[in-house]
Amino acid sequence: MSEPTEANAAAEAAPADGTAEPAGGTGRRHVRVVLVDDHRMFRTGVQAEIGQTEQTGVEVVGEAADVDQAVTVITATRPEVVLLDVHLPGGGGVEVLRRCTSLMGDPERPVRFLALSVSDAAEDVIGVIRAGARGYVTKTITGADLIDSIFRVQENDAVFSPRLAGFVLDAFASTDAPPVDEDLDRLTQREREVLRLIARGYAYKEIAKQLFISVKTVESHVSAVLRKLQLSNRHELTRWATARRLV
Protein backbone atom coordinates (compact mmCIF):
# COMPACT_ATOMS: atom_id res chain seq x y z
CA MET A 1 0.00 0.00 0.00
CA SER A 2 1.30 3.50 -0.79
CA GLU A 3 1.84 5.82 2.13
CA PRO A 4 -0.10 9.08 1.68
CA THR A 5 1.34 12.34 2.91
CA GLU A 6 -0.10 14.60 5.63
CA ALA A 7 -1.73 11.62 7.32
CA ASN A 8 -1.44 13.21 10.75
CA ALA A 9 -3.41 16.21 9.57
CA ALA A 10 -6.12 13.90 8.30
CA ALA A 11 -6.38 12.15 11.65
CA GLU A 12 -6.64 15.46 13.48
CA ALA A 13 -9.26 16.69 11.03
CA ALA A 14 -11.60 13.77 11.72
CA PRO A 15 -14.70 15.02 13.58
CA ALA A 16 -14.83 14.25 17.29
CA ASP A 17 -18.14 12.37 16.91
CA GLY A 18 -16.46 9.76 14.71
CA THR A 19 -18.24 10.63 11.46
CA ALA A 20 -16.34 10.64 8.19
CA GLU A 21 -14.74 13.82 6.99
CA PRO A 22 -17.16 15.75 4.76
CA ALA A 23 -16.47 16.58 1.16
CA GLY A 24 -14.56 19.78 0.72
CA GLY A 25 -12.24 19.12 3.68
CA THR A 26 -8.59 18.21 3.38
CA GLY A 27 -9.38 15.38 0.98
CA ARG A 28 -7.94 12.74 3.33
CA ARG A 29 -10.11 9.68 3.89
CA HIS A 30 -10.89 8.39 7.36
CA VAL A 31 -13.16 5.57 8.49
CA ARG A 32 -13.84 4.04 11.90
CA VAL A 33 -14.08 0.25 11.84
CA VAL A 34 -15.02 -2.58 14.20
CA LEU A 35 -13.60 -6.09 13.57
CA VAL A 36 -15.92 -9.02 14.35
CA ASP A 37 -14.37 -12.48 14.07
CA ASP A 38 -14.15 -15.36 16.53
CA HIS A 39 -10.47 -16.01 15.76
CA ARG A 40 -8.22 -13.68 17.74
CA MET A 41 -5.19 -14.34 15.54
CA PHE A 42 -7.16 -13.39 12.44
CA ARG A 43 -8.33 -10.15 14.05
CA THR A 44 -4.74 -9.39 15.00
CA GLY A 45 -3.62 -9.96 11.42
CA VAL A 46 -6.32 -7.73 9.96
CA GLN A 47 -5.53 -5.03 12.52
CA ALA A 48 -1.86 -5.14 11.53
CA GLU A 49 -2.73 -5.01 7.83
CA ILE A 50 -5.28 -2.19 7.77
CA GLY A 51 -5.10 -0.48 11.16
CA GLN A 52 -2.10 1.82 10.60
CA THR A 53 -4.36 4.84 10.51
CA GLU A 54 -1.80 7.38 9.36
CA GLN A 55 -1.06 5.28 6.28
CA THR A 56 -4.45 3.70 5.53
CA GLY A 57 -7.03 6.10 6.94
CA VAL A 58 -8.65 3.15 8.74
CA GLU A 59 -9.09 3.45 12.52
CA VAL A 60 -10.00 0.19 14.27
CA VAL A 61 -12.11 1.30 17.24
CA GLY A 62 -13.22 -2.08 18.57
CA GLU A 63 -13.16 -5.87 18.24
CA ALA A 64 -15.56 -8.68 19.09
CA ALA A 65 -15.49 -12.47 19.02
CA ASP A 66 -19.18 -13.42 19.23
CA VAL A 67 -22.65 -12.05 18.61
CA ASP A 68 -23.25 -10.52 22.05
CA GLN A 69 -19.83 -8.86 22.13
CA ALA A 70 -20.34 -7.57 18.61
CA VAL A 71 -23.66 -5.90 19.36
CA THR A 72 -22.26 -4.36 22.55
CA VAL A 73 -19.13 -2.99 20.88
CA ILE A 74 -20.92 -1.73 17.77
CA THR A 75 -23.56 0.02 19.85
CA ALA A 76 -20.94 1.63 22.08
CA THR A 77 -18.53 2.78 19.36
CA ARG A 78 -20.92 3.48 16.44
CA PRO A 79 -18.36 2.77 13.71
CA GLU A 80 -18.99 3.65 10.10
CA VAL A 81 -18.11 0.14 8.89
CA VAL A 82 -18.13 -3.27 10.58
CA LEU A 83 -16.03 -6.11 9.17
CA LEU A 84 -18.26 -9.06 10.00
CA ASP A 85 -17.48 -12.77 9.92
CA VAL A 86 -20.43 -14.91 8.83
CA HIS A 87 -19.88 -17.73 11.32
CA LEU A 88 -19.87 -16.55 14.93
CA PRO A 89 -20.78 -18.07 18.28
CA GLY A 90 -24.23 -16.95 19.35
CA GLY A 91 -26.09 -17.02 16.05
CA GLY A 92 -23.71 -15.92 13.29
CA GLY A 93 -23.33 -12.72 11.33
CA VAL A 94 -27.00 -12.67 10.37
CA GLU A 95 -27.94 -12.40 14.05
CA VAL A 96 -25.58 -9.44 14.50
CA LEU A 97 -27.21 -7.74 11.53
CA ARG A 98 -30.68 -8.46 12.85
CA ARG A 99 -29.87 -6.93 16.23
CA CYS A 100 -28.22 -3.88 14.62
CA THR A 101 -31.09 -3.06 12.24
CA SER A 102 -31.81 0.28 13.90
CA LEU A 103 -28.14 1.31 13.66
CA MET A 104 -28.05 0.46 9.96
CA GLY A 105 -31.15 2.57 9.42
CA ASP A 106 -29.92 5.64 11.31
CA PRO A 107 -30.28 8.51 8.79
CA GLU A 108 -27.58 10.60 10.49
CA ARG A 109 -24.87 8.05 11.34
CA PRO A 110 -25.61 4.71 9.68
CA VAL A 111 -23.47 1.71 10.58
CA ARG A 112 -22.66 -0.29 7.46
CA PHE A 113 -21.52 -3.90 7.33
CA LEU A 114 -19.02 -5.67 5.09
CA ALA A 115 -18.94 -9.46 5.46
CA LEU A 116 -15.42 -10.89 5.54
CA SER A 117 -15.50 -14.70 5.60
CA VAL A 118 -13.66 -17.84 4.60
CA SER A 119 -16.97 -19.15 3.25
CA ASP A 120 -17.86 -18.67 -0.41
CA ALA A 121 -21.17 -20.57 -0.20
CA ALA A 122 -24.13 -18.99 -1.94
CA GLU A 123 -26.46 -19.34 1.05
CA ASP A 124 -23.99 -17.51 3.30
CA VAL A 125 -23.58 -14.65 0.82
CA ILE A 126 -27.30 -14.27 0.18
CA GLY A 127 -28.17 -14.63 3.87
CA VAL A 128 -26.08 -11.69 5.08
CA ILE A 129 -26.99 -9.50 2.11
CA ARG A 130 -30.68 -10.08 2.74
CA ALA A 131 -30.03 -9.20 6.39
CA GLY A 132 -28.54 -5.84 5.43
CA ALA A 133 -24.81 -6.17 4.72
CA ARG A 134 -23.51 -3.89 1.95
CA GLY A 135 -20.95 -6.35 0.66
CA TYR A 136 -19.21 -9.71 1.01
CA VAL A 137 -15.55 -10.48 0.43
CA THR A 138 -13.57 -13.61 1.18
CA LYS A 139 -10.50 -13.83 3.39
CA THR A 140 -8.27 -14.32 0.36
CA ILE A 141 -8.59 -10.57 -0.32
CA THR A 142 -5.43 -8.47 -0.23
CA GLY A 143 -4.92 -5.76 2.36
CA ALA A 144 -5.08 -3.01 -0.25
CA ASP A 145 -8.31 -4.34 -1.74
CA LEU A 146 -9.85 -4.74 1.71
CA ILE A 147 -9.08 -1.13 2.57
CA ASP A 148 -10.62 -0.02 -0.73
CA SER A 149 -13.69 -2.16 -0.03
CA ILE A 150 -14.10 -0.62 3.42
CA PHE A 151 -14.12 2.91 2.03
CA ARG A 152 -16.54 1.92 -0.73
CA VAL A 153 -18.95 0.46 1.83
CA GLN A 154 -18.57 3.61 3.92
CA GLU A 155 -19.81 5.50 0.83
CA ASN A 156 -22.75 3.04 0.61
CA ASP A 157 -21.45 1.16 -2.43
CA ALA A 158 -22.08 -2.56 -2.74
CA VAL A 159 -18.85 -4.58 -2.76
CA PHE A 160 -18.34 -8.26 -3.59
CA SER A 161 -15.51 -10.59 -4.41
CA PRO A 162 -15.86 -11.16 -8.18
CA ARG A 163 -17.44 -14.61 -8.28
CA LEU A 164 -19.77 -13.92 -5.36
CA ALA A 165 -21.61 -11.10 -7.12
CA GLY A 166 -23.34 -13.65 -9.34
CA PHE A 167 -24.96 -15.30 -6.31
CA VAL A 168 -26.57 -12.02 -5.33
CA LEU A 169 -27.66 -11.12 -8.85
CA ASP A 170 -29.27 -14.53 -9.29
CA ALA A 171 -31.00 -14.34 -5.92
CA PHE A 172 -32.48 -10.91 -6.43
CA ALA A 173 -33.26 -11.28 -10.13
CA SER A 174 -36.18 -13.54 -9.26
CA THR A 175 -39.38 -11.98 -7.96
CA ASP A 176 -40.16 -15.19 -6.09
CA ALA A 177 -38.67 -15.79 -2.66
CA PRO A 178 -36.45 -18.89 -2.57
CA PRO A 179 -38.08 -21.92 -0.99
CA VAL A 180 -37.35 -22.44 2.67
CA ASP A 181 -35.41 -25.62 3.42
CA GLU A 182 -36.62 -26.51 6.89
CA ASP A 183 -33.97 -29.22 7.29
CA LEU A 184 -31.14 -26.82 6.46
CA ASP A 185 -32.61 -24.17 8.74
CA ARG A 186 -32.17 -26.53 11.69
CA LEU A 187 -28.40 -26.24 11.33
CA THR A 188 -26.27 -23.45 12.75
CA GLN A 189 -23.96 -21.51 10.44
CA ARG A 190 -20.93 -23.44 11.71
CA GLU A 191 -22.72 -26.78 11.24
CA ARG A 192 -23.49 -25.84 7.65
CA GLU A 193 -19.84 -25.05 7.03
CA VAL A 194 -18.72 -28.38 8.48
CA LEU A 195 -21.43 -30.13 6.46
CA ARG A 196 -20.15 -28.66 3.19
CA LEU A 197 -16.55 -29.64 3.93
CA ILE A 198 -17.53 -33.17 4.92
CA ALA A 199 -19.53 -33.47 1.70
CA ARG A 200 -16.49 -32.30 -0.28
CA GLY A 201 -14.49 -35.19 1.15
CA TYR A 202 -12.38 -33.36 3.73
CA ALA A 203 -11.03 -35.39 6.66
CA TYR A 204 -11.78 -34.20 10.19
CA LYS A 205 -8.20 -32.97 10.66
CA GLU A 206 -8.39 -30.95 7.43
CA ILE A 207 -11.68 -29.38 8.49
CA ALA A 208 -10.27 -28.52 11.90
CA LYS A 209 -7.27 -26.82 10.30
CA GLN A 210 -9.34 -24.86 7.80
CA LEU A 211 -11.88 -23.64 10.37
CA PHE A 212 -9.35 -23.08 13.18
CA ILE A 213 -11.16 -25.45 15.52
CA SER A 214 -10.23 -28.73 17.21
CA VAL A 215 -10.88 -32.18 15.75
CA LYS A 216 -13.11 -32.88 18.75
CA THR A 217 -15.20 -29.82 17.90
CA VAL A 218 -15.51 -31.02 14.30
CA GLU A 219 -16.71 -34.40 15.55
CA SER A 220 -19.30 -32.69 17.75
CA HIS A 221 -20.59 -30.64 14.82
CA VAL A 222 -20.83 -33.71 12.59
CA SER A 223 -22.76 -35.59 15.29
CA ALA A 224 -25.14 -32.66 15.66
CA VAL A 225 -25.69 -32.46 11.89
CA LEU A 226 -26.38 -36.18 11.60
CA ARG A 227 -28.81 -36.02 14.51
CA LYS A 228 -30.70 -32.96 13.23
CA LEU A 229 -30.96 -34.33 9.68
CA GLN A 230 -31.72 -37.87 10.89
CA LEU A 231 -28.84 -39.35 8.90
CA SER A 232 -26.64 -42.29 9.88
CA ASN A 233 -23.20 -41.57 8.43
CA ARG A 234 -21.10 -39.20 6.35
CA HIS A 235 -21.98 -41.01 3.11
CA GLU A 236 -25.67 -40.26 3.63
CA LEU A 237 -24.71 -36.73 4.61
CA THR A 238 -22.76 -36.30 1.36
CA ARG A 239 -25.73 -37.49 -0.71
CA TRP A 240 -28.02 -35.13 1.21
CA ALA A 241 -25.73 -32.12 0.62
CA THR A 242 -25.19 -33.00 -3.05
CA ALA A 243 -28.93 -33.25 -3.67
CA ARG A 244 -29.31 -29.71 -2.37
CA ARG A 245 -26.31 -28.42 -4.33
CA LEU A 246 -24.45 -27.42 -1.18
CA VAL A 247 -21.16 -29.01 -2.22
Side-chain angles (χ1 to χ4, degrees):
M1 302 173 207
S2 60
E3 294 189 3
T5 59
E6 301 180 358
N8 286 331
E12 293 172 1
D17 65 358
T19 55
E21 179 184 341
T26 65
R28 300 294 301 118
R29 300 190 302 177
H30 180 265
V31 60
R32 300 171 70 253
V33 171
V34 163
L35 305 178
V36 180
D37 193 287
D38 59 341
H39 299 119
R40 182 181 58 81
M41 290 182 65
F42 180 77
R43 297 198 309 271
T44 300
V46 173
Q47 165 83 335
E49 185 73 21
I50 72 172
Q52 302 300 314
T53 308
E54 293 186 358
Q55 287 75 38
T56 66
V58 178
E59 179 187 1
V60 178
V61 297
E63 299 182 14
D66 60 34
V67 170
D68 288 340
Q69 287 179 12
V71 174
T72 298
V73 171
I74 293 166
T75 302
T77 60
R78 296 297 293 270
E80 286 134 356
V81 177
V82 177
L83 287 181
L84 180 67
D85 193 10
V86 174
H87 303 296
L88 294 167
V94 170
E95 178 64 13
V96 175
L97 289 159
R98 185 188 69 78
R99 290 167 60 178
C100 290
T101 299
S102 62
L103 299 181
M104 288 189 285
D106 187 328
E108 299 296 327
R109 295 176 58 192
V111 177
R112 298 189 171 105
F113 289 79
L114 173 61
L116 175 62
S117 177
V118 69
S119 171
D120 61 359
E123 65 267 24
D124 287 339
V125 179
I126 295 167
V128 295
I129 297 305
R130 287 195 186 280
R134 290 299 300 168
Y136 193 118
V137 295
T138 62
K139 291 180 177 179
T140 57
I141 193 170
T142 66
D145 286 343
L146 180 57
I147 291 168
D148 180 66
S149 297
I150 290 168
F151 279 109
R152 288 174 60 191
V153 167
Q154 179 194 28
E155 295 165 1
N156 207 27
D157 284 347
V159 180
F160 298 94
S161 292
R163 89 177 200 87
L164 304 185
F167 296 154
V168 179
L169 290 173
D170 290 344
F172 288 90
S174 173
T175 56
D176 299 324
V180 175
D181 189 325
E182 294 183 358
D183 289 332
L184 190 60
D185 281 350
R186 293 191 185 101
L187 306 182
T188 66
Q189 292 288 341
R190 181 64 84 188
E191 288 168 353
R192 294 184 192 188
E193 193 165 43
V194 171
L195 163 65
R196 284 192 299 272
L197 294 175
I198 285 288
R200 291 172 184 173
Y202 283 73
Y204 286 4
K205 288 184 178 180
E206 294 172 323
I207 297 173
K209 183 177 180 181
Q210 182 159 337
L211 300 182
F212 302 97
I213 57 179
S214 69
V215 173
K216 185 175 181 180
T217 300
V218 174
E219 293 172 349
S220 296
H221 285 314
V222 172
S223 296
V225 170
L226 292 174
R227 183 180 69 254
K228 291 179 180 180
L229 300 181
Q230 299 183 4
L231 300 174
S232 301
N233 53 56
R234 64 182 296 162
H235 300 295
E236 291 184 1
L237 186 152
T238 298
R239 289 197 296 270
W240 188 93
T242 301
R244 286 161 173 77
R245 300 181 180 179
L246 300 177
V247 181

